Amino acid sequence: MKWTDADLDLTLQALSQEDPPDAALAHVRELVLDQTQPRLRWWWAWLAVPALASALWFVWTPAQLAPPPLIANAPPVVDLPVVRAGAPPVRTRSRPSPPAPRLEPVNDGEYVKIATADPNVVILWKLENEGETR
Amino acid sequence: MIGTADFESLLRANERRVLRTAWRILGSLEDAKDASQEVFLRLHKHLAEIDLRTVHSWLYRTTLNVCFDALRRRRPEGELDFEPESQENPAREVDMNDRKRLLERAIRRLPERERAALVLREIEGLETAQVAEILGISEVTVRSQVSMAKSRLRGWLEGLA
């Protein structure tokens, strides 16, 4: 069999134009996709399991385990006057005390009026027939 | 991050060149299908690390590595013999199909580097610079390996006459 350079180049060219059958390509593609796509599905399944567990935990946890609503029971906020540091103290003026009631001798008997060293104190001594009372 | 749909389109866009290259290197369509499957599984595994602008080079390089790994596990090729496809007229001149079958078998006997350079340059039709980049050698070395491969092939094929 004669093989010149031209024969070799021609045969190489003929080989380069020969494509693998479509069935072989489809077979390879199917095998590759079968082995790659399930992995992706399992990957999402692994993510879904903890998400589902978290959701169930929130649904089934007893209400008493939940912390009390602190905000709802908090006392109402009272508006307190703002006191500025260094503000001058408020001076209050004392009212004059009302005049003391004057003691009038009751005219239900005889009394002896005794003056004391204090001009505001007077002793009234009631005179009775049975004896002395004060 | 590339998605499932993107991977499938990448697979469809490159499956022909990968299977054809593996077929020419291994000389068997069944073995080439196994090798192509391995190449695309590796692509899927390393997709995040691969620059998609150079995915063609990556695919060719990986195809060659997978094929040569398979060849090392396989028995070495035997002597080249020839039986014409048509037995009706053995004396007739061999036709192109016979030549192709003979050449396929002769290519399988080439050393790895020469076979890779010849398949990428002469069958896949890549530029010498591309072949050099894929094989990690200089363009001069690529030309030299292609030339040596052709010389070996001619010698073997003429020896059959």
Side-chain angles (χ1 to χ4, degrees):
Chain A
M1 189 187 301
K2 185 74 176 166
W3 279 87
T4 61
D5 285 352
D7 289 332
L8 186 60
D9 288 342
L10 205 62
T11 314
L12 281 169
Q13 193 182 353
L15 275 183
S16 71
Q17 289 166 356
E18 208 173 56
D19 266 345
D22 287 344
L25 292 168
H27 184 232
V28 171
R29 189 188 317 130
E30 187 184 355
L31 289 173
V32 170
L33 292 178
D34 274 354
Q35 290 181 69
T36 52
Q37 286 178 340
R39 284 185 199 164
L40 292 174
R41 281 190 213 115
W42 280 111
W43 169 254
W44 287 110
W46 279 110
L47 281 181
V49 166
L52 188 63
S54 303
L56 286 174
W57 189 85
F58 278 112
V59 169
W60 291 101
T61 301
Q64 59 265 28
L65 287 182
L70 294 173
I71 293 174
N73 290 344
V77 177
V78 179
D79 286 335
L80 295 171
V82 177
V83 178
R84 290 183 185 171
V90 178
R91 303 184 71 178
T92 55
R93 176 178 288 178
S94 59
R95 290 180 180 177
S97 56
R102 294 190 63 179
L103 292 173
E104 294 294 336
V106 182
N107 194 16
D108 59 349
E110 288 183 277
Y111 291 83
V112 174
K113 189 175 181 181
I114 302 170
T116 64
D118 188 344
N120 294 322
V121 177
V122 175
I123 298 171
L124 293 177
W125 196 303
K126 185 179 179 183
L127 300 176
E128 290 179 351
N129 291 332
E130 294 90 35
E132 298 178 340
T133 57
R134 202 170 177 183
Chain B
M1 175 91 184
I2 192 161
T4 312
D6 295 328
F7 174 72
E8 187 171 346
S9 60
L10 206 55
L11 169 66
R12 286 179 182 274
N14 293 284
E15 61 188 2
R16 192 173 295 276
R17 86 181 77 218
V18 168
L19 184 58
R20 188 175 51 215
T21 305
W23 189 18
R24 294 303 167 216
I25 294 285
L26 294 169
S28 152
L29 188 58
E30 284 306 308
D31 291 347
K33 282 158 68 176
D34 291 343
S36 297
Q37 188 185 337
E38 175 63 24
V39 169
F40 283 110
L41 290 179
R42 287 190 192 184
L43 174 68
H44 185 264
K45 187 177 175 184
H46 299 285
L47 207 50
E49 307 152 25
I50 298 169
D51 183 354
L52 292 182
R53 290 168 297 183
T54 60
V55 73
H56 289 175
S57 296
W58 188 92
L59 283 170
Y60 275 124
R61 198 158 40 240
T62 307
T63 304
L64 293 174
N65 289 337
V66 169
C67 288
F68 288 131
D69 284 348
L71 285 173
R72 287 180 202 122
R73 290 193 298 268
R74 198 201 271 179
R75 287 184 309 168
E77 289 294 322
E79 288 298 308
L80 200 61
D81 56 4
F82 176 62
E83 291 175 11
E85 198 164 328
S86 169
Q87 299 293 330
E88 292 172 1
N89 184 10
R92 71 177 172 81
E93 193 172 339
V94 286
D95 64 8
M96 181 53 83
N97 280 336
D98 294 332
R99 283 185 185 274
K100 283 197 289 189
R101 279 181 44 239
L102 266 177
L103 183 57
E104 279 176 345
R105 294 202 60 186
I107 288 172
R108 279 151 57 183
R109 296 181 70 202
L110 287 171
E112 284 184 9
R113 286 288 177 182
E114 289 178 21
R115 193 185 328 184
L118 181 90
V119 167
L120 294 181
R121 180 73 187 91
E122 300 294 327
I123 297 179
E124 281 299 301
L126 300 184
E127 296 294 327
T128 306
Q130 285 179 282
V131 178
E133 192 240 320
I134 290 165
L135 297 179
I137 55 179
S138 69
E139 292 185 38
V140 175
T141 310
V142 171
R143 287 192 197 95
S144 162
Q145 286 181 339
V146 171
S147 173
M148 285 178 66
K150 282 183 170 181
S151 173
R152 280 185 212 272
L153 290 173
R154 265 194 311 273
W156 289 334
L157 293 168
E158 283 182 354
L160 293 174

